[in-house]
């Protein structure tokens, strides 16, 4: 009879992880986390005194842009990635937003996505990530509805 190494699915393993260490400089996720001016989102919520605390819109945007750069466009898949993928956990500060929150955010971000999209490309060019960013931006461009890019004068890529 064959002998196998001992294994136990009930074992516990603690892995120390610091989210800040997962986002390394010179990468697209670092650009999203550190080089973008996301202050335009501050005025989107008026719950200073009333209502439940909202997810930080900057965090939601970072997660959505990073997901789109990886070809993930479904809000349920993005929420799953926030629970299972370390880079998504780091970008979201392990906040694990619900898929309906992500979907609602995506549907309401149309007036700020175009200028931010351009800014992402400029930052990527400054960091010599432009070829990588252009390929990822094309995926983002194809993933978002064409109305987001209408004011940029870009042609439709509808299939």
């Amino acid at each position: 009879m064959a002998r196998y190494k001992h294994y136990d699915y009930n074992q516990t393993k603690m892995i120390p992880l610091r989210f800040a260490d997962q986002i390394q400089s010179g990468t697209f996720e670092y650009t999203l986390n550190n080089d973008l001016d996301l202050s335009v989102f501050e005025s989107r919520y008026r719950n200073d005194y009333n209502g439940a605390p909202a997810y930080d819109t900057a965090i939601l945007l970072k997660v959505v842009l990073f997901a789109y750069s990886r070809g993930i466009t479904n809000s349920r898949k993005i929420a799953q990635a926030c629970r299972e993928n370390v880079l998504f956990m780091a970008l979201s500060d392990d906040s694990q937003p619900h898929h309906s929150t992500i979907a609602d955010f995506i549907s309401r971000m149309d007036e700020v996505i175009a200028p931010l999209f351009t800014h992402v490309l400029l930052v990527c060019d400054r960091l010599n990530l432009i070829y990588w960013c252009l390929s990822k931006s094309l995926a983002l461009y194809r993933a978002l509805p064409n109305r987001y890019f209408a004011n940029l004068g870009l042609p439709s890529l509808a299939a």
Side-chain angles (χ1 to χ4, degrees):
M1 183 167 198
R3 291 182 337 144
Y4 297 104
K5 290 186 176 218
H6 175 73
Y7 61 91
D8 180 10
Y9 286 115
N10 292 321
Q11 68 184 347
T12 303
K13 183 170 191 152
M14 300 296 288
I15 301 173
L17 181 69
R18 195 169 150 240
F19 290 128
D21 295 339
Q22 304 308 307
I23 301 175
Q24 299 181 3
S25 64
T27 61
F28 183 64
E29 51 272 18
Y30 182 85
T31 300
L32 289 175
N33 208 38
N34 297 304
D35 294 336
L36 295 181
D37 178 20
L38 303 175
S39 60
V40 69
F41 290 103
E42 290 298 318
S43 64
R44 291 186 73 83
Y45 291 97
R46 304 257 186 245
N47 63 344
D48 294 342
Y49 303 107
N50 299 326
Y55 284 100
D56 187 349
T57 52
I59 285 178
L60 291 174
L61 182 71
K62 290 182 225 178
V63 167
V64 168
L65 288 177
F66 187 65
Y68 282 5
S69 79
R70 299 286 191 238
I72 305 170
T73 58
N74 181 297
S75 63
R76 290 180 188 269
K77 296 283 186 186
I78 295 171
Q80 180 182 9
C82 288
R83 291 187 309 270
E84 298 175 358
N85 186 302
V86 174
L87 285 175
F88 280 92
M89 288 178 196
L91 283 173
S92 69
D93 201 20
D94 203 22
S95 59
Q96 299 182 7
H98 192 264
H99 71 88
S100 62
T101 302
I102 295 169
D104 182 57
F105 176 74
I106 292 169
S107 69
R108 294 185 307 127
M109 64 189 251
D110 57 347
E111 73 273 1
V112 293
I113 188 64
L116 193 60
F117 181 76
T118 305
H119 185 69
V120 167
L121 292 177
L122 292 173
V123 170
C124 286
D125 184 41
R126 190 181 77 228
L127 296 173
N128 293 323
L129 293 172
I130 191 64
Y131 294 112
W132 187 90
C133 277
L134 283 175
S135 67
K136 298 305 179 183
S137 297
L138 185 58
L140 173 65
Y141 177 62
R142 286 184 173 150
L144 289 173
N146 288 326
R147 65 185 167 105
Y148 293 140
F149 299 101
N151 63 344
L152 291 179
L154 298 173
S156 172
L157 290 180

